[in-house]
């Protein structure tokens, strides 16, 4: 049932928001002069690597000239990118990953390999399910860049301040997962976005 819901939900979102997606794509292409999408390497179910689609919000090759964690004032972020990140519109292409079966609407947010390689045996349960667009941790920490702001080492701050709680919330989701839980998280996510 979860897979059917994922396909129908993501397909409807992509169709309904197609005009917005096309406009954003055109703005990025014309204004930022480069690729529209950023394919972020992430760890998925059972530790399998995949490319998570996002609208490109940073300069080309940003992952090669800075840390994987990003602060709000990171100078790699483009002007268009700042708006997309603030409104979370940069996440829209992830519905493509859902259609491809690499992600789910609800599930632990996928992380980079350098962090998942540090999982304890207990934490590896996070990789037993498909990663998602939203989860308990996404609602708890909807503005990661703001928390990392001013840090001399964003990756270190992420690991010390955000990651411990994020992992516990992801484990909580895996242990409690159900269709009812997914619907609750989707509703809470929508309320958080509207509030923002």
């Amino acid at each position: 049932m979860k897979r059917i819901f994922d396909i129908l939900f993501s397909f409807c979102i992509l169709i309904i928001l197609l005009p917005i997606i096309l406009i954003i794509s055109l703005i990025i292409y014309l204004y930022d002069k480069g690729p529209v999408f950023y394919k972020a390497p992430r760890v998925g179910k059972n530790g399998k690597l995949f490319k998570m689609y996002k609208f490109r919000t940073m300069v080309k090759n940003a992952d090669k000239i800075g840390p994987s964690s990003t602060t709000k004032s990171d100078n790699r972020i483009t002007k268009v990118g700042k708006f997309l990140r603030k409104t979370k519109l940069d996440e829209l292409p992830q519905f493509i990953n859902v259609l491809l079966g690499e992600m789910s609407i609800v599930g632990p947010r996928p992380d980079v390999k350098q962090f998942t390689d540090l999982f304890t045996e207990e934490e590896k349960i996070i990789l037993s399910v498909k990663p998602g667009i939203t989860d308990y941790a996404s609602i708890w920490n909807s503005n990661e860049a703001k928390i990392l702001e001013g840090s001399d080492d964003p990756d270190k701050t992420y690991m010390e301040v955000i990651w411990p709680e994020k992992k516990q919330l992801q484990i909580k989701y895996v242990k409690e997962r159900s269709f009812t839980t997914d619907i609750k998280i989707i509703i809470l996510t929508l309320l958080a976005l509207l509030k923002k």
Side-chain angles (χ1 to χ4, degrees):
M1 179 183 268
K2 184 178 174 73
R3 179 61 185 147
I4 294 170
F5 175 79
D6 281 344
I7 291 170
L8 292 175
F9 190 94
S10 54
F11 182 76
C12 289
I13 289 291
L14 288 170
I15 291 298
I16 291 168
L17 298 181
L18 184 59
I20 293 173
I21 291 169
L22 292 174
I23 290 168
I24 292 171
S25 299
L26 189 61
I27 291 171
I28 294 172
Y29 180 75
L30 294 175
Y31 192 80
D32 286 336
K33 303 288 191 282
V36 170
F37 298 110
Y38 170 62
K39 299 173 186 176
R42 293 291 183 269
V43 179
K45 185 178 179 181
N46 299 324
K48 184 179 178 182
L49 289 170
F50 73 101
K51 301 286 188 183
M52 184 178 75
Y53 292 103
K54 300 180 84 170
F55 279 124
R56 185 173 62 84
T57 60
M58 305 179 87
V59 297
K60 286 182 283 186
N61 299 316
D63 54 338
K64 295 178 176 65
I65 56 174
S68 60
S69 301
T70 312
T71 65
K72 192 176 177 183
S73 61
D74 194 312
N75 59 14
R76 294 174 297 168
I77 301 173
T78 64
K79 288 181 180 179
V80 175
K82 285 181 182 178
F83 172 77
L84 294 177
R85 282 171 172 258
K86 185 177 180 181
T87 57
K88 299 292 183 183
L89 289 171
D90 62 316
E91 310 283 354
L92 282 179
Q94 284 163 47
F95 287 103
I96 297 170
N97 291 111
V98 176
L99 283 179
L100 293 173
E102 298 165 328
M103 291 178 68
S104 185
I105 300 297
V106 181
R109 288 294 294 162
D111 235 320
V112 295
K113 193 173 186 298
Q114 73 180 81
F115 293 139
T116 59
D117 281 349
L118 301 174
F119 278 170
T120 63
E121 284 305 311
E122 180 198 7
E123 292 162 355
K124 285 178 182 176
I125 193 175
I126 294 167
L127 301 178
S128 68
V129 299
K130 282 183 187 177
I133 292 176
T134 186
D135 66 345
Y136 285 128
S138 302
I139 298 163
W140 162 72
N141 178 29
S142 62
N143 199 345
E144 187 175 290
K146 190 173 182 181
I147 294 173
L148 298 175
E149 189 65 29
S151 172
D152 293 329
D153 188 343
D155 282 342
K156 183 181 178 187
T157 303
Y158 171 82
M159 290 194 70
E160 293 176 351
V161 178
I162 297 171
W163 207 43
E165 182 68 17
K166 180 179 178 180
K167 288 185 291 182
Q168 289 309 306
L169 287 169
Q170 290 178 335
I171 291 170
K172 170 182 165 73
Y173 169 75
V174 174
K175 290 180 175 178
E176 295 179 0
R177 71 188 188 279
S178 67
F179 187 69
T180 305
T181 300
D182 283 5
I183 295 299
K184 180 177 80 173
I185 289 174
I186 289 169
I187 292 170
L188 289 173
T189 301
L190 290 172
L191 288 173
L193 286 171
L194 289 171
K195 186 179 178 182
K196 194 172 179 182

